[in-house]
Amino acid sequence: MIYNFKHYIHQFKGCGETMRIFITGMPGVGKTTLALKIAEKLKELGYKVGGFITKEIRDGGKRVGFKIITLDTNEETILAYVGDGKIKVGKYAVFIENLDNVGVEAIKRALKDADIIIIDELGAMEFKSRKFSEVVDEVIKSDKPLLATLHRNWVNKFKDKGELYTLTIENREKLFEEILNKILAGLK
């Protein structure tokens, strides 16, 4: 089930408004890498970063699944794996209980303790979870800065909730600097 997000959202325009940055792009372009690079740089600068990233699981060069890695504790769990399951997205069985117990809990901790929340990604697998939908809604309504990667099929749901960047192979280094600088300006 997909949940609707009709709430009061502010775009980041400067002082007093909550920063919301969404990164989209084609598969393999480097959205997760960009989010992780930004997270690592922010941590290096002393900021508390919360949330999670989603990395591919590969076997023999083929993608066979995805795992979640929390940004505060480095806890890992499987989000989805090729095969049969109660909840499916394409060829992947989605492990909602893992997402709820690890990913959602990481976001909840970030809402309380972090300077910025990073969610990688907002997409069909993740929104199979009611708890994930609810915590994303809570993040969007909060005054906590957010950096999220966005599956290209979800752009229309989130494009009016913050600033949207489309990552390409050609612009990824430039966007790293631009987005990092924007976040740093917003966190000061």
Side-chain angles (χ1 to χ4, degrees):
M1 177 180 266
I2 307 303
Y3 294 86
N4 203 350
F5 297 94
K6 292 180 181 172
H7 299 284
Y8 305 101
I9 311 302
H10 300 286
Q11 282 191 319
F12 176 69
K13 293 182 181 129
C15 296
E17 295 190 17
T18 303
M19 178 176 26
R20 304 268 180 264
I21 296 174
F22 299 98
I23 302 166
T24 192
M26 296 303 289
V29 77
K31 296 180 296 293
T32 296
T33 301
L34 178 62
L36 187 56
K37 241 173 105 172
I38 288 172
E40 288 169 350
K41 188 63 176 174
L42 291 171
K43 285 179 183 180
E44 194 179 293
L45 294 170
Y47 291 99
K48 287 181 80 176
V49 178
F52 67 86
I53 59 158
T54 307
K55 285 201 166 181
E56 292 182 350
I57 300 169
R58 293 196 162 266
D59 185 14
K62 289 186 176 184
R63 185 173 68 194
V64 295
F66 299 92
K67 64 182 173 179
I68 293 169
I69 305 170
T70 64
L71 292 166
D72 58 346
T73 65
N74 291 317
E75 184 179 359
E76 293 186 20
T77 191
I78 294 175
L79 170 63
Y81 209 81
V82 171
D84 293 327
K86 187 170 72 173
I87 299 172
K88 298 269 295 187
V89 172
K91 64 183 177 181
Y92 299 100
V94 182
F95 299 96
I96 298 301
E97 61 283 352
N98 291 353
L99 175 59
D100 290 348
N101 294 333
V102 177
V104 170
E105 290 304 313
I107 296 169
K108 286 180 180 179
R109 288 192 306 273
L111 274 164
K112 290 180 189 163
D113 301 327
D115 296 313
I116 185 169
I117 300 169
I118 296 180
I119 304 173
D120 171 46
E121 92 176 343
L122 302 174
M125 288 181 186
E126 294 80 7
F127 282 110
K128 293 289 185 182
S129 163
R130 178 184 53 79
K131 288 181 180 179
F132 181 82
S133 298
E134 289 170 353
V135 80
V136 168
D137 185 44
E138 195 176 331
V139 169
I140 295 291
K141 288 193 279 185
S142 80
D143 61 357
K144 194 73 69 162
L146 170 68
L147 171 66
T149 64
L150 188 56
H151 187 282
R152 65 193 178 283
N153 293 341
W154 288 77
V155 168
N156 287 336
K157 294 264 186 214
F158 287 92
K159 68 181 179 186
D160 297 330
K161 295 174 179 19
E163 273 190 81
L164 178 66
Y165 291 86
T166 301
L167 189 66
T168 64
I169 290 169
E170 295 78 24
N171 73 3
R172 60 186 174 195
E173 287 307 313
K174 178 181 166 255
L175 279 189
F176 166 73
E177 294 292 331
E178 185 176 329
I179 293 170
L180 179 63
N181 288 334
K182 185 170 291 262
I183 289 170
L184 290 172
L187 290 174
K188 298 221 185 283

